[in-house]
Amino acid sequence: MAKQNVAEQFVDILTRAGVKRLYGVVGDSLNPVVDAVRRNSAIDWIHVRHEETAAFAASAEAQITGGLAACAGSCGPGNLHLINGLYDAHRSMAPVLALASHIPSSEIGLGYFQETHPDRLFTECSHYSEMISSPEQMPRLLQTAIQNAVGRSGVSVVTLPGDIADRPAPEKAAETALVTSRPTVRPGDAEIDRLVEMIDSAGKVTLFCGSGTAGAHAEVMEFAGKIKSPVGHALRGKEWIQYDNPFDVGMSGLLGYGAAYEATHECDLLILLGTDFPYNAFLPDDVQIAQVDVRPENLGRRSKLDLAVWGDVRETLRCLIPRVKEKKNRRFLDRMLKKHADALEGVVKAYTRKVEKHTPIHPEYVAAVLDEVAADDAVFTVDTGMCNVWAARYISPNGRRRVIGSFSHGSMANALPMAIGAQFTDRTRQVVSMSGDGGFSMLMGDFLTLVQYDLPVKVVLFNNSSLGMVELEMLVAGLPSYGTANKNPDFAAVARACGAYGVRVEKPKDLPGALKDAFKHKGPALVDVVTDPNALSIPPKIKAEMVTGFALSASKIVLDGGVGRMLQMARSNLRNVPRF
């Protein structure tokens, strides 16, 4: 049997860690690794058109599967292109292993062609970034990188010079067991005792939930029911906590709606569950706050805490539920539910008024129709900007759908690349890219990746020929819009030229049929919807300190958009409020 080289050993370890795909663009320093992938039936090389796409795709795959995903870039410019997608993966807590191939090891530090220092460059967007400078470092260094990515939920980067990758691997190299899943973490008894005391002493308790509530829906509902608490959520908590939730009071933050803001400010005790909600201007400073998070670095960095609890949300609630006293008084909960329903009643009219005749098409209407016709287990990948608003307010979670976006890093152009990674995990599952024309055109070359692999991703393009969120930011600052207009092609024609299904929609009456036809198509499809550039959004509560860095309209030309099926759910919850 032929002796392994370092590249072959590298690829074998990736497959043992569960990696099924390596996203990237080939290049000379990567050749030994790509050839090792070619000869290994357990892993596929996914050839994308831009390395940034590779990192975004790996991030989405990791978020869908919960397991390790991987991407690669060749020396210098190749691996530099990974950096934005890796920043996003790291801030999204997606376990991703990135291979940054490097110039010949003998030339490092001598100003060689395409020389960079990737082991330094990626330190800020990774838990671990190290270079393999000799074959003897394998496999321990790669195993350490994998365990950092999986165990700490983020990015690890391994830098590997091409000549080292081609050298013989050391004989009898130790193969230690790989960590491929995270443990559960139970808080200490002292923290549980104190939190029980705080809950029992508080007359009005509100829960505010983030992505750390994934897998804890049943426990959150049981806990809220026992302590009669309204339940609000951040954007990343929406998919995990909003569905089947009789205590729902909506979302707080820049894209918020409903009564979540009031519920968090009018309570006696606010409990933050698995959220690193970044906008402290939306958090109260005059109520007691307890925070539960499995990542201790998140505790207290957004608001002053009265109690920090280090632990998984689900395990923490399992400790609390049998111990807290059941509250009998639900007046606060019922008042917040009514406020929530009233708030949604007010904004829903904005998108129901003559939307079927309005041209250009209201983007709210597009999102509402998309929510109705998409599959119950669809994966939605969402571009940053106004698409975030429409997804937050119109895409209805149900426990089976997923909504993934650059919600922490806020990068443009993420939706299409993420859809690639999501679709590779399951070709039979519906994947919808909610793309803006700005984001789509930035990485439009990777639409060809859909065609090359016949990935049945459906791109729904919200085409308002502008960078809408940036225009709104300029409006808030009192500046005229400048540099935000896009002169776009007929994107449907571009899709057809690429070999995909493409249709352009300019009239509202044509939209439902166009979406249904695209979803029935077995391959990649693009629906280019010409939308109204004046349809923008504001938060439900506005303070002067919230203005910085976000779009607020003092002139009220901004639409305070609709909320889709959330009103229906709020009305249903309100009907269940006891009458006294």
Side-chain angles (χ1 to χ4, degrees), residues 169-308:
E171 293 184 9
K172 298 181 180 179
E175 290 193 1
T176 59
L178 291 169
V179 171
T180 56
S181 61
R182 289 173 57 86
T184 56
V185 180
R186 181 197 182 279
D189 290 337
E191 286 72 28
I192 292 294
D193 291 344
R194 176 60 182 141
L195 187 51
V196 169
E197 180 184 329
M198 291 173 71
I199 293 166
D200 287 346
S201 300
K204 300 174 292 184
V205 182
T206 292
L207 306 180
F208 187 70
C209 302
S211 61
T213 58
H217 183 274
E219 287 79 6
V220 173
M221 295 304 106
E222 183 179 358
F223 184 57
K226 191 167 185 180
I227 65 172
K228 308 301 183 289
S229 170
V231 178
H233 59 268
L235 177 56
R236 292 193 64 200
K238 174 185 171 74
E239 64 177 328
W240 305 114
I241 216 67
Q242 188 194 29
Y243 69 95
D244 296 340
N245 182 355
F247 314 103
D248 178 54
V249 292
M251 187 170 81
S252 191
L254 302 176
L255 310 184
Y257 54 81
Y261 182 90
E262 288 87 348
T264 56
H265 282 71
E266 296 180 25
C267 59
D268 301 318
L269 172 64
L270 173 62
I271 304 178
L272 306 175
L273 294 177
T275 179
D276 191 32
F277 181 71
Y279 305 108
N280 55 14
F282 287 89
L283 293 172
D285 54 13
D286 57 352
V287 304
Q288 280 195 309
I289 301 178
Q291 184 177 2
V292 179
D293 207 293
V294 73
R295 301 181 70 145
E297 67 270 24
N298 291 352
L299 295 169
R301 70 176 178 181
R302 307 300 184 193
S303 60
K304 182 178 179 296
L305 295 184
D306 296 278
L307 181 65

Side-chain angles (χ1 to χ4, degrees), residues 71 91 225 283 375 533:
C71 58
R91 299 197 67 186
L283 293 172

Side-chain angles (χ1 to χ4, degrees), residues 100-116:
S101 70
H102 203 6
I103 63 173
S105 57
S106 61
E107 302 297 333
I108 294 173
L110 299 174
Y112 191 72
F113 176 65
Q114 293 189 324
E115 181 173 8
T116 58

Side-chain angles (χ1 to χ4, degrees), residues 381-393:
T381 60
V382 184
D383 258 344
T384 295
M386 297 312 299
C387 284
N388 263 355
V389 179
W390 315 135
R393 296 190 173 188

Side-chain angles (χ1 to χ4, degrees), residues 11-273:
V11 172
D12 279 351
I13 293 170
L14 286 186
T15 61
R16 284 205 300 119
V19 174
K20 294 181 172 59
R21 282 161 288 274
L22 189 56
Y23 300 90
V25 179
V26 297
D28 56 355
S29 58
L30 261 179
N31 285 346
V33 174
V34 175
D35 190 61
V37 171
R38 178 183 65 82
R39 290 180 283 108
N40 191 318
S41 61
I43 189 170
D44 292 320
W45 176 262
I46 305 301
H47 167 49
V48 297
R49 303 306 174 101
H50 195 294
E51 290 90 351
E52 184 177 353
T53 295
F56 274 127
S59 173
E61 179 179 321
Q63 291 179 67
I64 293 291
T65 66
L68 184 69
C71 58
S74 60
C75 63
N79 61 58
L80 279 176
H81 285 159
L82 293 170
I83 198 163
N84 188 53
L86 292 182
Y87 260 95
D88 182 82
H90 196 54
R91 299 197 67 186
S92 299
M93 297 176 287
V96 171
L97 188 287
L99 168 60
S101 70
H102 203 6
I103 63 173
S105 57
S106 61
E107 302 297 333
I108 294 173
L110 299 174
Y112 191 72
F113 176 65
Q114 293 189 324
E115 181 173 8
T116 58
H117 292 89
D119 52 317
R120 303 178 201 170
L121 288 166
F122 293 100
T123 54
E124 193 172 320
C125 62
S126 66
H127 290 304
Y128 184 86
S129 180
E130 295 291 348
M131 182 171 69
I132 297 174
S133 55
S134 73
E136 287 71 28
Q137 289 175 274
M138 281 285 288
R140 289 183 299 153
L141 190 145
L142 178 56
Q143 290 169 338
T144 301
I146 290 170
Q147 289 169 188
N148 268 274
V150 174
R152 301 173 70 184
S153 294
V155 170
S156 283
V157 181
V158 174
T159 299
L160 178 61
D163 62 309
I164 301 293
D166 210 22
R167 290 183 191 173
E171 293 184 9
K172 298 181 180 179
E175 290 193 1
T176 59
L178 291 169
V179 171
T180 56
S181 61
R182 289 173 57 86
T184 56
V185 180
R186 181 197 182 279
D189 290 337
E191 286 72 28
I192 292 294
D193 291 344
R194 176 60 182 141
L195 187 51
V196 169
E197 180 184 329
M198 291 173 71
I199 293 166
D200 287 346
S201 300
K204 300 174 292 184
V205 182
T206 292
L207 306 180
F208 187 70
C209 302
S211 61
T213 58
H217 183 274
E219 287 79 6
V220 173
M221 295 304 106
E222 183 179 358
F223 184 57
K226 191 167 185 180
I227 65 172
K228 308 301 183 289
S229 170
V231 178
H233 59 268
L235 177 56
R236 292 193 64 200
K238 174 185 171 74
E239 64 177 328
W240 305 114
I241 216 67
Q242 188 194 29
Y243 69 95
D244 296 340
N245 182 355
F247 314 103
D248 178 54
V249 292
M251 187 170 81
S252 191
L254 302 176
L255 310 184
Y257 54 81
Y261 182 90
E262 288 87 348
T264 56
H265 282 71
E266 296 180 25
C267 59
D268 301 318
L269 172 64
L270 173 62
I271 304 178
L272 306 175
L273 294 177

